[in-house]
Amino acid sequence: MKLPSKSSVFYPLLLFFIPFITYLRTLSGGFVWDDYRVIHDASALLSPFSINRIPYVDGFYRPIASISLQLDYLVWGMNPFGYHLTNLIIHSLSVVLLFAVLKRIVRVETAFFAALLFGVHPAVSEVVSWVSCRFDLLTLLFALLAMYCLLLYLERGKKTIIFPVVVFALFSLLSKETGIVLILLLPAIVFFYKRDSLKPLYFLSSLLAAILLVFFFTLGDKILARYDHWGDALVAGIKLFGLYIYKVFSWNYLVPYNACLFAELGSRTVVFSGLFLLVLIVLSGIAIRKRETLGLGAIWFAVALIPGIYISLSNWYRLPGADRFLYSALPGFALLFVCLSYRLLNRKALYLSVLLIPVMMFVSYQKAGVWSSPYTLWREASEKCGNRWTYPLTNYASAALHVNPDESEDLFNMLITGIKQGRLKSIYPAENELDLLVGLTKMGGIKEMKKEYGEAEKYYVEALKDYNRLIRDYPRITKWDLADVNYNIARFYYNKSLRENNKTPLPLALQQIDLAVKYRGSQLKYRRMRYYILFQMGRCNEAIDAVNDLLTIYEGDRDILRDLYRITKACKGQKFR
């Protein structure tokens, strides 16, 4: 498997542009899933930009990724093209960096095909196509930069190069917490580059064991809250490992929502993945003993999957087996696959790669199209689960509301009926009840659009019945979904007050919008609705204070300034328009 001799920039350029072209269609995609929330959290729509005001994103402090999204917002506003372009450039750069790292450890042709395999593998489609995966992209990018600088230090021996290694490793960790396992791979890089001592691998093993012990002793209750015994959790972890193996080789398993796939895996998967893991461990041991570089691929793949498996087992996480956890592990798989192919097939491995790469590019192109809009995303997710799981079906119905209202109404009817009859599945016991609330309020909104106000109110009244019990019993993560339920109820009763020129519904509207702001304070429309309601209730001073409070966060926002002007005029007895 030998590549033709080319200039030093030919292969990096090729490795940059092939993945770029493969995922070019992502540039025409919009925002999906958590994108709006993540962008609002990361940038807080702050102007002017200030590092001192970097917020938590979804409850996590990830300042490097937050700065990246803030910069995108400053340049592109809320135009999704710019965010997708940044994602695509970061991924293509990571492919080039992977080549730069690997070619110092293995043959150039092995490094080239491993990097290319990683760059166009369908499993990276989710991370490249989804703006919210900026964290995963930057985590790998900075980890690869740290590895590259470390290898430069080993080559040249200049101590000044150690500083960039530390900086880039820190940046990887501050992009996403899962960067810790990529940083732990640095000793393995040292070993397979020098091949003279096992001390780096002993150091890696010790660090990894220490971190796993800390995880288990500090966060183990998150797993045991979902599984009764550690044995059950271990079996589930092995099953998850098997699911990721399936995803690597069988691309039908690459779907936006994996809970249904995970639930359908049985004992055969446990046996298969257990044997595969055992083979991986034995292969790593033999490779380490013989100083074979395929051991680096095996170690990289296994270690980088640990965070994804661990998080998927936690009781608060409802997307077990998410594709994005494969992103940091795929470089290891690509290296392992190419090394084994070369070992078993020799020159024929080149022909295998020539056949495999175009197929991967075609499948990746199709997978990227799934992420082009919320409607295509959730239709794919729900239909893959046979429209039998509440979470993807709820989101599918919500997305269809903006594309085909009649289809959306049919889907929400299917959702409400299915939950009441116990036919739909979910991960958590209360998830069906939560999605029932969402379905009822959305159906109320559909009826309101049709001006069937009596029918609409029946749905909202039913949604309010079991609300308090759901808040008490359900995990923290659902507060995001509950906030939208609160907002929809508040909006309906606010509009009812305006229609009927009656202030009686307003206290209920205010109660609901206060909850929405409490659960998801970064949503601008919630805060604006709150001061509209306060004004309508005649509480002018509170309404003006609420507008001014919002202006301290969204400095110079024209819509909020216009609201302040209108409300101030109206409170002085002038007409509110």
Side-chain angles (χ1 to χ4, degrees):
M1 186 171 65
K2 191 174 178 61
L3 292 174
S5 176
K6 296 289 180 181
S7 65
S8 60
V9 297
F10 177 78
Y11 294 122
L13 285 175
L14 205 60
L15 288 170
F16 182 89
F17 283 108
I18 290 178
F20 194 93
I21 293 170
T22 301
Y23 290 103
L24 197 62
R25 73 179 302 176
T26 63
L27 298 181
S28 61
F31 293 127
V32 297
W33 211 336
D34 295 332
D35 284 347
Y36 283 105
R37 171 164 62 86
V38 167
I39 293 169
H40 275 256
D41 277 3
S43 66
L45 302 185
L46 297 176
S47 180
F49 169 77
S50 172
I51 289 181
N52 294 328
R53 301 168 71 174
I54 299 172
Y56 280 72
V57 178
D58 197 14
F60 298 97
Y61 188 64
R62 297 167 175 172
I64 302 300
S66 295
I67 291 172
S68 167
L69 291 167
Q70 283 186 353
L71 292 173
D72 269 345
Y73 177 74
L74 289 174
V75 175
W76 302 100
M78 292 303 289
N79 182 357
F81 171 86
Y83 296 84
H84 287 297
L85 178 62
T86 304
N87 272 23
L88 192 49
I89 290 172
I90 293 172
H91 174 64
S92 298
L93 287 174
S94 293
V95 176
V96 175
L97 277 170
L98 179 61
F99 171 69
V101 169
L102 294 181
K103 77 174 184 177
R104 285 168 167 78
I105 302 173
V106 297
R107 297 184 185 188
V108 172
E109 55 267 24
T110 302
F112 176 81
F113 283 113
L116 187 57
L117 184 66
F118 161 68
V120 301
H121 195 287
V124 309
S125 301
E126 176 178 307
V127 174
V128 179
S129 307
W130 188 14
V131 173
S132 296
C133 284
R134 179 71 56 82
F135 315 108
D136 304 87
L137 287 164
L138 288 174
T139 298
L140 181 61
L141 177 73
F142 287 118
L144 289 170
L145 281 169
M147 293 175 188
Y148 178 72
C149 291
L150 178 62
L151 290 171
L152 285 182
Y153 166 73
L154 294 174
E155 284 179 3
R156 301 176 185 178
K158 293 183 179 179
K159 293 183 179 180
T160 53
I161 304 179
I162 286 293
F163 178 71
V165 175
V166 176
V167 171
F168 288 133
L170 184 62
F171 279 12
S172 177
L173 188 57
L174 291 178
S175 295
K176 192 174 182 179
E177 305 73 29
T178 53
I180 185 66
V181 294
L182 295 175
I183 296 170
L184 286 174
L185 288 171
L186 292 177
I189 295 291
V190 173
F191 169 74
F192 284 102
Y193 175 77
K194 300 184 75 172
R195 296 183 174 89
D196 59 355
S197 172
L198 285 172
K199 288 182 180 179
L201 285 183
Y202 294 150
F203 182 64
L204 168 64
S205 302
S206 301
L207 279 178
L208 188 60
I211 289 174
L212 288 175
L213 285 174
V214 170
F215 277 168
F216 285 136
F217 281 110
T218 58
L219 302 174
D221 59 318
K222 303 295 184 184
I223 293 179
L224 285 180
R226 186 165 173 180
Y227 298 97
D228 295 331
H229 304 287
W230 279 111
D232 296 335
L234 181 62
V235 170
I238 294 174
K239 190 189 295 186
L240 273 167
F241 182 76
L243 177 59
Y244 280 120
I245 298 301
Y246 291 160
K247 286 175 178 290
V248 169
F249 291 102
S250 180
W251 303 325
N252 285 330
Y253 283 87
L254 296 170
V255 295
Y257 183 77
N258 296 276
C260 54
L261 299 181
F262 179 56
E264 291 171 1
L265 297 178
S267 56
R268 288 184 180 179
T269 301
V270 176
V271 174
F272 162 76
S273 57
L275 290 173
F276 191 95
L277 184 60
L278 183 63
V279 169
L280 206 61
I281 293 171
V282 171
L283 192 64
S284 301
I286 295 173
I288 290 168
R289 188 171 181 178
K290 294 185 176 182
R291 275 41 175 190
E292 294 283 351
T293 50
L294 63 86
L296 175 60
I299 292 172
W300 189 326
F301 181 65
V303 170
L305 272 181
I306 291 174
I309 293 173
Y310 186 82
I311 293 170
S312 295
L313 293 176
S314 301
N315 70 319
W316 54 268
Y317 196 71
R318 57 170 157 179
L319 299 170
D323 296 355
R324 58 185 170 276
F325 292 121
L326 261 177
Y327 187 71
S328 293
L330 270 175
F333 164 77
L335 177 60
L336 177 62
F337 180 82
V338 172
C339 285
L340 283 175
S341 299
Y342 179 71
R343 177 61 59 84
L344 298 174
L345 302 176
N346 203 354
R347 288 184 175 275
K348 293 179 182 178
L350 177 62
Y351 306 127
L352 175 65
S353 300
V354 169
L355 292 174
L356 193 58
I357 295 300
V359 174
M360 284 186 169
M361 291 176 66
F362 176 73
V363 176
S364 296
Y365 179 84
Q366 289 185 315
K367 293 291 181 183
V370 172
W371 291 85
S372 61
S373 72
Y375 178 73
T376 55
L377 170 68
W378 289 111
R379 181 181 62 188
E380 171 80 3
S382 187
E383 289 179 352
K384 284 288 185 179
C385 294
N387 289 330
R388 298 193 308 272
W389 284 70
T390 57
Y391 184 71
L393 181 58
T394 302
N395 285 284
Y396 176 25
S398 298
L401 187 59
H402 305 287
V403 178
N404 187 344
D406 291 335
E407 180 187 15
S408 178
E409 186 173 359
D410 292 340
L411 290 169
F412 276 122
N413 276 323
M414 181 193 304
L415 175 75
I416 293 169
T417 304
I419 292 175
K420 288 181 177 179
Q421 295 178 355
R423 290 187 286 104
L424 296 184
K425 299 178 181 180
S426 62
I427 295 180
Y428 302 112
E431 190 166 24
N432 279 350
E433 297 176 59
L434 170 68
D435 288 327
L436 178 60
L437 277 182
V438 174
L440 290 170
T441 54
K442 293 289 188 180
M443 278 297 291
I446 291 172
K447 295 298 181 183
E448 189 179 3
M449 284 193 299
K450 293 182 175 181
K451 298 185 178 181
E452 299 175 10
Y453 300 120
E455 288 296 314
E457 189 163 11
K458 289 180 182 178
Y459 284 107
Y460 287 114
V461 169
E462 185 178 352
L464 284 166
K465 283 183 180 179
D466 295 329
Y467 182 81
N468 291 330
R469 181 175 57 80
L470 185 62
I471 290 179
R472 184 181 67 248
D473 295 343
Y474 207 68
R476 173 197 62 83
I477 196 171
T478 59
K479 297 295 176 64
W480 292 101
D481 304 283
L482 286 173
D484 208 39
V485 170
N486 297 132
Y487 171 76
N488 287 329
I489 295 173
R491 182 185 51 77
F492 172 77
Y493 284 103
Y494 170 73
N495 289 335
K496 180 181 179 181
S497 172
L498 295 179
R499 284 194 307 269
E500 299 177 358
N501 195 23
N502 178 8
K503 294 186 178 182
T504 304
L506 290 176
L508 177 57
L510 181 62
Q511 177 200 44
Q512 292 298 310
I513 202 63
D514 281 342
L515 288 170
V517 171
K518 175 183 176 182
Y519 296 148
R520 203 189 301 186
S522 61
Q523 280 284 13
L524 178 59
K525 67 178 182 179
Y526 296 174
R527 291 176 176 266
R528 293 184 71 186
M529 175 60 70
R530 185 175 185 277
Y531 59 67
Y532 290 155
I533 294 171
L534 287 170
F535 170 75
Q536 195 66 22
M537 294 176 75
R539 294 159 64 171
C540 284
N541 290 335
E542 291 181 61
I544 293 172
D545 288 344
V547 181
N548 284 320
D549 288 343
L550 203 55
L551 278 173
T552 63
I553 303 174
Y554 302 94
E555 299 171 359
D557 187 282
R558 292 183 179 181
D559 291 331
I560 301 174
L561 287 170
R562 191 180 300 115
D563 288 340
L564 179 62
Y565 173 74
R566 294 166 64 202
I567 290 175
T568 303
K569 282 187 65 176
C571 286
K572 290 180 179 178
Q574 300 179 40
K575 188 174 181 181
F576 182 87
R577 295 184 298 165

